[in-house]
Amino acid sequence: MANEISRPAAGPLERVIQGLESVLNNRQLTVLKNVVFILVLLNYWSYFYAKIAVCGPLRVAKDFQAFVKRIIFKQLRRLPSVQAKINAELDKTLKEMEHSMMSREGDNVVPQLRLPKHGLTEEQVLDELKTFQKMRGKDWEGGRVSGAVYHGGEELTNLLAEAYRMYAVSNPLHPEVFPGVRRMEADSVAMVLNMYNAPSTGCGTMTSGGTESIIMACKAYRDMYKDLRGIDYPEMVVPETIHAAFMKASGYFNIKLIMIPVDPITCQVDVKKMAKAITRNTIMIAGSAVNFPHGIADDITALGKLAKKHGIGLHVDCCLGSFIVPFLEKAGLPSVPFDFRVDGVTSISCDTHKYGFAPKGSSIVMYREKKIRKYQYFVCSEWTGGIYASPSIAGSRPGALIAGCWAALMRIGEDGYLDACKKIVGARQIIENTVRSIPQLTVKGNPISSVIAFGAKEPLNIYDVGDMLGELGWDVSALQNPPALHISVTLPWVPSAADFAKDLREVVNQLVSDPSKGKGSTAAIYGTAASIPDKSIIDDVAAGFIDLLYKS
């Protein structure tokens, strides 16, 4: 037609674009895109639904609100003016920490920044050691420090020191050189297995402490279920009151950590919510007997049934319960099922260096069967230095600590640990009875072991109670989420428990009569921490504190 405008032929680029449009608008591809979109929605919905099922709608709403606040706060923190103010406050806080830390060392300390040109005499070294020993620390010997020092008496300390001297150069990495150390380690593990009623198939290893024992158990389950079930994205389901070593294991070994709330009254983990959190990627669940914050034992029997049902591991953290919980029943004290007699329990950690009174740096991790323990090991069969194998994280280990642990177990014996259990739990009961008799205070859950935690009813601030007790020389631990004070009763507390109870009652009476007396630092610190949406600031403070530990 005369008025028809002819179009130029499409160029190469236009033809490519037209071809892509034709492919993208293909009916089969459109269906595939819709299916992928629906699957993505279902994935997010399943995550959201699982979150609600485990934590409840109110908790999810609060968590989402906190998440939004964190995002906003993080962006605000990028502003130079805001960052400058935060840095100024951080520097101020760290300087106060530094002053508090360094002031305990006195004014006459000369930092040793390099090796002495000429070695000191033995007398000079001992004099320096005595100087460090006299630095102004808190009074643990008088039974005024929560936990920290698990002292079995001066006579035992002397024995442990002699055991250390005898085996100072030994290393269990070389059993052919130090066969006696191998025997003592094996016997120490066997004695603790017996104490926890392990079956004949039971086994274990010694580690450097509770954290390593827990980490090793998590590593064993990760590797075992990857090998046996092909789980590449492992998950573990634990109470929110579980020891922080599980968080560390999660970070070290890339195991997804699912935290389950505890009952606000009993402080035990909610087993029903734990059951809802188990997926095809779950390799283990865990419970405590007892937990660090409140001294509460989870319902291990119910957790055992849950683990058996799903064919997964159940680790019981008895690091703090150690040599107290196994003796409760024999002492005629209230107890709960917690050990290998519970069907479904597959591993347990127990710190010999707590209420076993062994030297610091010894713990036992136990397994129901050797087929689990083997996944804890590290083996490198192709190393140019020869075949390398080790049972835990460390290669070389101090045989002297193994000797000290064995010596403590043998010296104290069942009757000694039974007596210590009665005394320590008795001291805790004195404190608990006093707390329950004070209307303004509330005990957390139903403690059965050496630990007690208690909070306060408004308007009383429990951190003010802790600060005023600190002014009287008592060093108790502050808890958060919710606010509370924690005491791990040790043998030195046995003669001082009544004095603490008296001072506690007096402090509460003073704060009730005059609330203005409660102006301590702990309330300010934890109050500020609770109000900050972005917890990375708290992480910076904690990292700064660790830095100070290495400042000479």
Side-chain angles (χ1 to χ4, degrees), residues 357-428:
F357 309 123
K360 274 296 181 183
S362 64
S363 175
I364 307 289
V365 56
M366 299 167 275
Y367 299 96
R368 184 175 286 275
E369 298 175 289
K370 291 180 181 179
K371 68 179 183 181
I372 306 174
R373 182 180 63 175
K374 75 172 186 177
Y375 289 98
Q376 174 186 305
Y377 300 158
F378 175 82
V379 178
C380 183
S381 58
E382 299 179 356
W383 180 41
T384 54
I387 299 174
Y388 179 90
S390 66
S392 54
I393 291 176
S396 293
R397 293 181 292 137
L401 291 181
I402 294 172
C405 177
W406 180 90
L409 299 181
M410 296 297 289
R411 177 68 183 88
I412 298 174
E414 282 193 12
D415 56 348
Y417 287 120
L418 178 61
D419 182 61
C421 172
K422 292 177 180 178
K423 290 177 178 177
I424 290 169
V425 175
R428 189 266 301 160

Side-chain angles (χ1 to χ4, degrees), residues 23 60 84 251 264 427 527:
V23 171
V60 170

Side-chain angles (χ1 to χ4, degrees), residues 163-175 177-182 184-185 395-404:
Y164 195 101
R165 186 196 66 77
M166 292 174 64
Y167 291 90
V169 301
S170 64
N171 182 356
L173 187 64
H174 305 286
V177 181
F178 304 104
V181 173
R182 189 215 69 81
M184 286 187 289
E185 181 171 25
S396 293
R397 293 181 292 137
L401 291 181
I402 294 172

Side-chain angles (χ1 to χ4, degrees), residues 2-128:
N3 61 348
E4 183 177 352
I5 300 175
S6 61
R7 295 184 179 179
L13 180 60
E14 291 182 13
R15 285 197 296 271
V16 171
I17 293 174
Q18 289 172 359
L20 287 174
E21 287 179 346
S22 176
V23 171
L24 291 174
N25 291 325
N26 180 276
R27 186 165 178 262
Q28 287 83 358
L29 186 60
T30 300
V31 172
L32 180 61
K33 287 190 293 184
N34 290 336
V35 170
V36 170
F37 178 71
I38 291 172
L39 289 175
V40 170
L41 282 181
L42 286 174
N43 180 61
Y44 279 103
W45 167 251
S46 63
Y47 171 80
F48 182 67
Y49 177 80
K51 192 80 173 174
I52 291 179
V54 171
C55 300
L58 290 178
R59 174 73 174 268
V60 170
K62 289 181 180 179
D63 288 348
F64 180 74
Q65 185 182 40
F67 173 76
V68 172
K69 287 182 178 179
R70 280 199 303 271
I71 296 297
I72 296 173
F73 191 87
K74 191 173 183 178
Q75 297 306 315
L76 288 174
R77 194 177 174 183
R78 297 178 185 271
L79 298 174
S81 58
V82 175
Q83 187 62 53
K85 186 172 182 180
I86 290 175
N87 288 340
E89 289 298 320
L90 183 60
D91 290 341
K92 179 183 176 183
T93 300
L94 292 178
K95 286 186 181 299
E96 291 173 353
M97 285 183 173
E98 181 178 354
H99 173 73
S100 175
M101 185 179 294
M102 299 302 179
S103 64
R104 295 186 179 278
E105 297 181 2
D107 302 324
N108 301 320
V109 176
V110 179
Q112 192 71 42
L113 304 180
R114 57 178 295 176
L115 286 171
K117 190 171 183 180
H118 302 289
L120 304 182
T121 65
E122 181 178 335
E123 290 76 13
Q124 289 173 318
V125 172
L126 289 172
D127 286 342
E128 289 294 311

Side-chain angles (χ1 to χ4, degrees), residues 231-278:
I231 296 178
D232 293 318
Y233 303 98
E235 300 175 359
M236 57 180 169
V237 185
V238 303
E240 61 184 7
T241 51
I242 205 74
H243 194 275
F246 286 88
M247 292 72 160
K248 186 178 284 190
S250 171
Y252 282 0
F253 301 134
N254 199 27
I255 304 172
K256 183 178 179 181
L257 187 69
I258 300 173
M259 307 283 284
I260 306 300
V262 298
D263 184 282
I265 305 300
T266 66
C267 294
Q268 291 180 312
V269 68
D270 190 319
V271 179
K272 291 182 179 179
K273 290 182 177 179
M274 181 171 274
K276 292 178 181 178
I278 294 174

Side-chain angles (χ1 to χ4, degrees), residues 180-434:
V181 173
R182 189 215 69 81
R183 167 54 60 185
M184 286 187 289
E185 181 171 25
D187 284 355
S188 295
V189 172
M191 284 186 275
V192 177
L193 280 165
N194 178 265
M195 191 172 73
Y196 277 82
N197 294 290
S200 59
T201 56
C203 57
T205 68
M206 188 176 283
T207 69
S208 63
T211 292
E212 188 181 3
S213 288
I214 290 168
I215 285 176
M216 287 291 90
C218 294
K219 187 262 185 193
Y221 290 120
R222 184 200 67 169
D223 291 359
M224 182 173 74
Y225 284 103
K226 180 178 178 61
D227 180 33
L228 300 181
R229 296 186 184 176
I231 296 178
D232 293 318
Y233 303 98
E235 300 175 359
M236 57 180 169
V237 185
V238 303
E240 61 184 7
T241 51
I242 205 74
H243 194 275
F246 286 88
M247 292 72 160
K248 186 178 284 190
S250 171
Y252 282 0
F253 301 134
N254 199 27
I255 304 172
K256 183 178 179 181
L257 187 69
I258 300 173
M259 307 283 284
I260 306 300
V262 298
D263 184 282
I265 305 300
T266 66
C267 294
Q268 291 180 312
V269 68
D270 190 319
V271 179
K272 291 182 179 179
K273 290 182 177 179
M274 181 171 274
K276 292 178 181 178
I278 294 174
T279 70
R280 64 179 180 274
N281 287 325
T282 303
I283 59 171
M284 63 177 291
I285 60 177
S288 303
V290 296
N291 65 42
F292 172 83
H294 311 125
I296 303 301
D298 290 311
D299 187 347
I300 304 302
T301 300
L303 295 182
K305 292 178 181 178
L306 192 59
K308 288 277 289 185
K309 177 182 178 182
H310 293 275
I312 55 178
L314 167 57
H315 183 85
V316 181
D317 175 21
C318 285
C319 290
L320 187 53
S322 62
F323 283 65
I324 298 293
V325 175
F327 288 94
L328 290 174
E329 188 176 352
K330 292 179 182 178
L333 297 165
S335 183
V336 294
F338 66 95
D339 58 17
F340 284 111
R341 288 174 293 181
V342 177
D343 195 22
V345 171
T346 51
S347 59
I348 300 175
S349 50
C350 166
D351 279 1
T352 43
H353 68 194
K354 284 193 173 73
Y355 295 103
F357 309 123
K360 274 296 181 183
S362 64
S363 175
I364 307 289
V365 56
M366 299 167 275
Y367 299 96
R368 184 175 286 275
E369 298 175 289
K370 291 180 181 179
K371 68 179 183 181
I372 306 174
R373 182 180 63 175
K374 75 172 186 177
Y375 289 98
Q376 174 186 305
Y377 300 158
F378 175 82
V379 178
C380 183
S381 58
E382 299 179 356
W383 180 41
T384 54
I387 299 174
Y388 179 90
S390 66
S392 54
I393 291 176
S396 293
R397 293 181 292 137
L401 291 181
I402 294 172
C405 177
W406 180 90
L409 299 181
M410 296 297 289
R411 177 68 183 88
I412 298 174
E414 282 193 12
D415 56 348
Y417 287 120
L418 178 61
D419 182 61
C421 172
K422 292 177 180 178
K423 290 177 178 177
I424 290 169
V425 175
R428 189 266 301 160
Q429 289 173 332
I430 291 173
I431 298 171
E432 180 184 352
N433 292 338
T434 300

